[in-house]
Amino acid sequence: MLNRIFLSADIEGTCGIAHWAETELGKPDYEPFRRQMTREVAAACEGAFAAGCEDLLIKDAHDSARNLIPAELPERVSIFRGWGSDIHSMMSGIDASFSGAIFTGYHSSSNTDASPLCHTMNLDNVSIRINGIQASELVINTFADVPVLLVTGDLGVCEQAKRLCPAVYTVPVSRGCGNGSISIHPSEAVRRIREKAELAVADGVAHPEKFTVALPNNFDVEVEFVKHNRARRASFYPGVKQLGPRTVRFSSDAYYDVLRFFMFCL
């Protein structure tokens, strides 16, 4: 079987980031952090290739999906830029042929205090819970049913990754402190990511069962929006029940149904 790795790259969990202006295309503060995001992704790719990865697809998964600098990535990778307009969102391009996944630059969820940029998918919700779990983008994408081998980002999201799957490798590059963050040196982050990616991919290919998160038989999702009109709008989606002025619930036995709900209602 071809050793294929999928890499989903976000930016808010990139080393050193502490403000939204550092994540937004066109803002003066964006360029150095775009380059650091690219360096961290490149390091993860290099580690994966050193461990025997034969094919690697990167999904640029932040905002415009045009953040990574392709010329600064290893020549052997493929990169999915822009949005696929499908339910997989940050995981567009994923399928069962991949041996495992790597998440770089990931961040803590909305309704937490582990990052100055805490959110889940957008800034329109206060909280998303799946079967009672405070859902970060990490949680949503881990349930895509491909073993997650490595997570890099803020300390909060790395700790959540360990709770989901104790075997997963992590590289916490920063931790939230009020409306700021305390980070390691950017070059140290790159070094650690490269080392952990090699270990994670080698381990994941040899022992995929260690990294497999068992999916529940049923998914019960609650979303609390910032504005009441978003809950009213979502209440018209088939199967959604409005619980209060700003809160809705959606349940299904199939996770694809949950992803469709997110696509049209978040």
Side-chain angles (χ1 to χ4, degrees):
M1 179 179 176
L2 187 65
N3 181 0
R4 305 186 74 206
I5 297 296
F6 185 92
L7 192 154
S8 176
D10 206 352
I11 199 173
E12 290 93 349
T14 295
C15 186
I17 281 184
H19 194 276
W20 291 106
E22 297 166 347
T23 73
E24 297 173 13
L25 185 65
K27 293 289 181 68
D29 293 341
Y30 171 74
E31 282 301 318
F33 292 97
R34 175 192 199 186
R35 291 191 175 277
Q36 179 63 17
M37 176 192 184
T38 302
R39 291 178 70 205
E40 293 180 13
V41 169
C45 295
E46 289 162 3
F49 286 130
C53 173
E54 299 168 84
D55 183 64
L56 198 153
L57 174 62
I58 300 166
K59 176 68 190 86
D60 190 324
H62 170 70
D63 197 26
S64 67
R66 294 182 289 113
N67 306 280
L68 295 168
I69 305 167
E72 296 183 9
L73 296 170
E75 293 183 9
R76 295 167 62 185
V77 306
S78 299
I79 180 169
F80 187 158
R81 301 178 74 242
W83 292 106
S85 302
D86 62 80
I87 61 173
H88 290 294
S89 186
M90 297 174 73
M91 302 292 282
S92 286
I94 194 78
D95 60 42
S97 70
F98 287 91
S99 308
I102 292 172
F103 298 159
T104 62
Y106 268 54
H107 55 84
S108 295
S109 73
S110 57
N111 207 33
T112 65
D113 62 358
S115 164
L117 280 66
C118 287
H119 69 284
T120 303
M121 303 306 287
N122 54 52
L123 299 180
D124 294 332
N125 65 78
V126 175
S127 174
I128 299 173
R129 292 185 178 274
I130 301 176
N131 293 358
I133 298 173
Q134 187 71 52
S136 60
E137 292 158 17
L138 164 79
V139 171
I140 292 170
N141 296 333
T142 293
F143 286 161
D145 209 17
V146 170
V148 177
L149 311 179
L150 171 67
V151 176
T152 80
D154 67 57
L155 178 61
V157 79
C158 289
E159 290 176 341
Q160 186 176 52
K162 284 287 190 182
R163 291 193 296 271
L164 282 172
C165 178
V168 69
Y169 289 75
T170 63
V171 182
V173 300
S174 65
R175 59 182 175 88
C177 186
N179 198 37
S181 68
I182 299 171
S183 70
I184 62 177
H185 191 280
S187 295
E188 176 67 7
V190 168
R191 184 186 68 78
R192 293 184 191 181
I193 290 169
R194 198 261 180 229
E195 290 177 355
K196 285 291 184 76
E198 183 172 356
L199 293 172
V201 171
D203 197 4
V205 171
H207 307 286
E209 69 284 353
K210 289 170 49 178
F211 301 89
T212 300
V213 175
L215 297 184
N217 294 323
N218 179 266
F219 298 91
D220 187 58
V221 183
E222 283 194 14
V223 179
E224 180 184 355
F225 292 98
V226 173
K227 295 183 178 181
H228 64 88
N229 60 293
R230 291 298 305 273
R232 175 170 167 76
R233 182 177 184 273
S235 73
F236 289 94
Y237 186 83
V240 170
K241 179 179 180 181
Q242 187 164 359
L243 303 181
R246 295 184 293 124
T247 306
V248 299
R249 173 180 289 163
F250 177 79
S251 297
S252 177
D253 294 340
Y255 193 56
Y256 267 38
D257 290 343
V258 174
L259 294 178
R260 289 188 186 96
F261 163 69
F262 287 155
M263 182 178 184
F264 288 101
C265 296
L266 288 185

